[in-house]
Amino acid sequence: MCDDKLCKLAYEFYRLAQSQGIESSCFLIKPRQMHGQEPPAVVAEALKKADAALLFTSMSLSHTKARKIASKKYGTRIGSLPGVTLAMLNRAICLNYSNLAKKTTKLANSLTKAKKIEVYTEAGTHLTMSVKGRRGFSDNGLYIKSGAFGNLPAGEACISPLEGTANGQLVIDGSAPFLGKLKKSLKIKIKNGYAENVPIAKMRPLVHLYGRKILNVAELGIGLNPKAKVTGSILEDEKSLGTAHIAFGNNKSFGGRVSCPSHLDFVFLKPTVIADGIKIKI
């Protein structure tokens, strides 16, 4: 499926699928207004009945109920490509996925075993959070099993901190929603699991509309894709080796308890991650 902004690229994949004898359909929808906004009901139903689906959308559908129900209840294998470009595909898709899977799985397991995580950078980030009882996830690009889901380009390990436990300062020097690649860093104060300040003006209407849930610390992710670069597109930026990201908003997809129609990732550079006092090798 696709929206108006990515229909040409999506159609190339549709034509390729047809040429391989694959019974395929292409759904064109109106672009969503924000990440996490639900697709039309007809698309949600189609996702339930497909064996596999590729989502070429300008706004991410990864954290929607439609995607989660299709994956978890109906076993649809889904690759989500929000904001993808041809340059991004040429650069960051052709990988040794077996090697990538080993690295992402190892890191995800380390996150799962941890109780407390500390993250800092020379730029000024210093965060602490509890992840006790939470599961680390591996996005490795191998969507082979029933219900498998992830982003393309792939390549990250992530976990959802326990609600109310993240504290410290986040300095964003990679990229941010609505702004793209940053020329000047952003600072976000985090207290008891929520951002205390709203660093981007375009986020403020979301806070007024949906409340404090938009500012919930939803995810810590670590990029592991050796071919991805920080270009200003969060889809690729957050997978880039040598980066980490904190997301705010919905964490239901990561085993959390906060549900809201927004999930916004902020990417920062050269992170050091410490789990229970031991530095994690990235």
Side-chain angles (χ1 to χ4, degrees):
M1 64 162 284
C2 58
D3 62 22
D4 297 336
K5 296 181 180 180
L6 290 174
C7 60
K8 290 183 179 180
L9 188 56
Y11 188 69
E12 292 300 318
F13 279 76
Y14 167 75
R15 290 206 312 167
L16 178 63
Q18 295 281 42
S19 73
Q20 298 297 310
I22 299 170
E23 182 64 38
S24 55
S25 301
C26 187
F27 286 81
L28 175 63
I29 69 169
K30 181 181 178 181
R32 306 291 90 181
Q33 294 180 322
M34 67 184 73
H35 297 294
Q37 187 177 6
E38 294 294 324
V42 65
V43 172
E45 287 301 311
L47 286 174
K48 295 176 184 178
K49 299 175 182 178
D51 295 309
L54 292 174
L55 313 180
F56 290 85
T57 54
S58 47
M59 294 293 176
S60 176
L61 300 178
S62 297
H63 303 281
T64 60
K65 291 180 181 178
R67 197 286 302 166
K68 287 181 278 188
I69 290 173
S71 298
K72 296 179 180 181
K73 187 174 180 179
Y74 292 89
T76 307
R77 295 178 289 123
I78 299 176
S80 181
L81 300 90
V84 73
T85 65
L86 182 59
M88 194 186 301
L89 291 174
N90 286 333
R91 178 170 52 243
I93 288 289
C94 293
L95 301 169
N96 184 322
Y97 282 95
S98 294
N99 286 345
L100 185 65
K102 290 177 183 178
K103 293 177 180 179
T104 57
T105 300
K106 182 178 180 180
L107 183 50
N109 288 340
S110 295
L111 295 175
T112 299
K113 294 175 183 177
K115 296 179 180 179
K116 180 181 178 181
I117 290 180
E118 180 180 3
V119 184
Y120 65 87
T121 68
E122 291 183 2
T125 290
H126 189 188
L127 292 174
T128 60
M129 62 196 73
S130 172
V131 293
K132 184 178 180 181
R134 289 283 163 90
R135 176 189 164 199
F137 290 87
S138 164
D139 185 4
N140 57 32
L142 296 176
Y143 312 135
I144 299 170
K145 296 181 180 179
S146 176
F149 163 77
N151 284 149
L152 292 170
E156 72 166 284
C158 59
I159 196 166
S160 178
L162 286 173
E163 292 78 5
T165 67
N167 287 282
Q169 177 175 262
L170 179 61
V171 178
I172 307 300
D173 54 357
S175 62
F178 307 111
L179 299 178
K181 189 175 182 179
L182 297 176
K183 295 181 179 179
K184 184 179 180 181
S185 61
L186 303 173
K187 292 183 179 180
I188 304 176
K189 293 288 186 179
I190 295 174
K191 184 177 180 180
N192 298 331
Y194 290 89
E196 287 201 300
N197 60 300
V198 181
I200 301 172
K202 288 185 178 181
M203 284 182 64
R204 289 169 190 152
L206 298 179
V207 178
H208 290 305
L209 188 60
Y210 297 109
R212 199 178 179 213
K213 290 181 179 181
I214 296 294
L215 303 177
N216 169 62
V217 177
E219 174 195 1
L220 166 67
I222 301 165
L224 292 167
N225 186 321
K227 293 188 177 182
K229 295 182 179 180
V230 177
T231 63
S233 173
I234 298 295
L235 174 65
E236 181 180 11
D237 298 351
E238 68 178 5
K239 311 304 188 327
S240 180
L241 183 65
T243 72
H245 55 279
I246 291 288
F248 296 92
N250 191 315
N251 65 2
K252 280 282 189 175
S253 297
F254 304 99
R257 300 193 299 267
V258 175
S259 178
C260 64
S262 179
H263 181 91
L264 299 175
D265 295 279
F266 291 77
V267 178
F268 54 100
L269 311 176
K270 299 179 181 179
T272 296
V273 182
I274 298 174
D276 298 332
I278 300 174
K279 181 179 177 180
I280 294 179
K281 186 178 180 180
I282 300 174

